[in-house]
Amino acid sequence: MSADHPTLPPVRLRADAELARDALAAPLLADAARLARWTGPDTRVDAGGELVDEQLPAAAEALGLPADEEGELRAGDAWRLAVDTGLVEIEDGESAGEAGAEDVPGRAAPGENLALLTGGSPRDVLALWLDGFDTVFADAVAPVLDDLDQLLDEDGEIDVDALDWDPEAEAEFLEGVLGNLYLLTVSEGGAGEGPVPLPALAASMVVPDDMGEPTDDVLEQVSDAMMRLDEQFRLLEPIGLVEYQPLDEALMVEEGEESAVSVDDEDVTRYGMVRLTPLGLYGVRARMLEAGVGAPAVGDLADKGADALLDGIAGYPEAAAREETAAWLAGRDALGAARELLHAARGSDPGSPLRRLHCQQTLSLVGPEAEPAVREVLDDAELGGLARVWLAERGAADVPAPPESMIFWLAIDTIAAQLDAEGDLEELQELIEGLTGRHGGFFEAAWRVEHPATAEVLEAMGRLHRDKGTAKEARKAAFKARSRGGA
């Protein structure tokens, strides 16, 4: 009686055109585009494709920045993004091979992808932005080289073994953080569009789920994670992925050796606050999809068949399911949609009760044009009950009374669906108690119902019914149902 539900709630994404505008407005990509347009015959790069030092002041000025150290650093970051995203094409220079020889600078020119920023489709722009996100993500998980001299080997190359850096672990950690931030954003009752405190995000990756009071060692790990995340979010903000209020550096001075998360400070915002932007939601979801993670978006099912719709919304919250089904119905005629939905709702597999429930809910959005399709299934053992409900709710005439077997089959099917939906427990208890209260001898008839979930439903009724005597009757009926089925 359990269907496979998506592991993540569905996200509501903005239209591609809006997201593309956000991408073009991201400071780092906008700077990269300016440098690509600034690039000309006199632009020189070194053997690694970086701008030569002599050109950094001019690059900073092209971005409207002062030609100081900070301006040159920003220009260097923007240049690297321009190269990695194809906004600039380079012909690498050559390093001097012998002592006394001079480096041979390479050349640069605007790349083919530059035209996509103004003449491409929104999808073209977003694809280019995703490439930029990948570049910045790689920078964010790169090691911090505080003392470069100590890391150089005899040949002047960086000794990777001396870095104490695991690239896969670093990438996995940041992926996990972004995944948790995504989940908090899209979950009902989560952060929504509001910011998340940096300590909570760091703790979500470090503190074990079953740990009560964190130990000093764990708190220290959280503090270290916060420091690293502070650096990473500062790098990710200019690409438009997040809005970030950095960790207040004064705290580290004020607290000395104390853990940054153990202080009872009334202003949690001083410890850093972060939220995914709408563009960030799009980007993190794209990375998760590429990694094979199920990350649905509202509207994904609009052009799919009814079977995909009813199965797909099985794990959706109520509001998202309603929005998805309305989008699905919008492009179809009512009669054809009703027939397709009813056909997809048939079945005796574990997910079929929830499909029928969602079929009934979707049909409630369909107009009277669907009535012929609904009447076609009045004699169907699986669909006749919900068909009668639909017709009765619309005050239709000539609705035949259901046979008793159909009444009890629909009761079992409805409870099975509600159990699978994992909805409000109190509402389910009221449904169960209402059914048993309206139908005398309910369990004597219910255990005979030819439904694959009969025994499981009766067992659940025994657990959930608040009257002990009735609960005992339900358990006895469940035993009879299992015995009759040979289970």
Side-chain angles (χ1 to χ4, degrees), residues 125-325:
V125 173
L126 290 172
L128 192 146
W129 179 84
L130 286 173
D131 288 341
F133 174 27
D134 288 343
T135 294
V136 177
F137 184 94
D139 289 342
V141 299
V144 179
L145 305 179
D146 292 324
D147 192 346
L148 186 59
D149 290 338
Q150 293 187 6
L151 298 173
L152 298 179
D153 59 20
E154 296 177 355
D155 299 324
E157 302 291 333
I158 294 178
D159 182 1
V160 178
D161 293 335
L163 287 175
D164 189 25
W165 172 62
D166 183 339
E168 291 185 3
E170 288 287 341
E172 184 178 342
F173 182 82
L174 185 54
E175 293 278 15
V177 168
L178 293 177
N180 284 352
L181 188 56
Y182 180 95
L183 182 59
L184 286 169
T185 305
V186 302
S187 296
E188 286 193 342
E193 296 184 358
V196 177
L198 192 63
L201 202 53
S204 72
M205 295 297 297
V206 174
V207 180
D209 293 337
D210 58 353
M211 176 174 281
E213 188 71 21
T215 63
D216 290 343
D217 180 59
V218 168
L219 288 174
E220 187 62 34
Q221 292 178 48
V222 172
S223 182
D224 291 343
M226 286 173 57
M227 299 301 107
R228 183 67 173 131
L229 287 173
D230 179 65
E231 296 171 354
Q232 291 172 328
F233 284 134
R234 289 173 192 259
L235 290 173
L236 292 168
E237 185 174 34
I239 197 63
L241 190 83
V242 296
E243 288 181 3
Y244 181 53
Q245 177 180 325
L247 177 68
D248 186 349
E249 295 180 4
L251 286 170
M252 291 178 275
V253 177
E254 294 170 5
E255 295 172 2
E257 298 300 318
E258 293 183 16
S259 168
V261 295
S262 63
V263 177
D264 184 16
D265 195 300
E266 68 280 0
D267 186 6
V268 71
T269 63
R270 297 183 67 197
Y271 294 92
M273 302 288 289
V274 62
R275 81 173 187 93
L276 283 174
T277 64
L279 183 61
L281 277 172
Y282 171 85
V284 174
R285 176 177 181 261
R287 287 184 71 91
M288 290 194 292
L289 291 176
E290 188 176 352
V293 177
V298 174
D300 277 353
L301 305 174
D303 59 351
K304 303 290 193 300
D307 52 348
L309 174 73
L310 298 181
D311 283 333
I313 62 175
Y316 281 26
E318 184 178 346
R322 188 164 54 248
E323 190 175 341
E324 187 73 66
T325 54

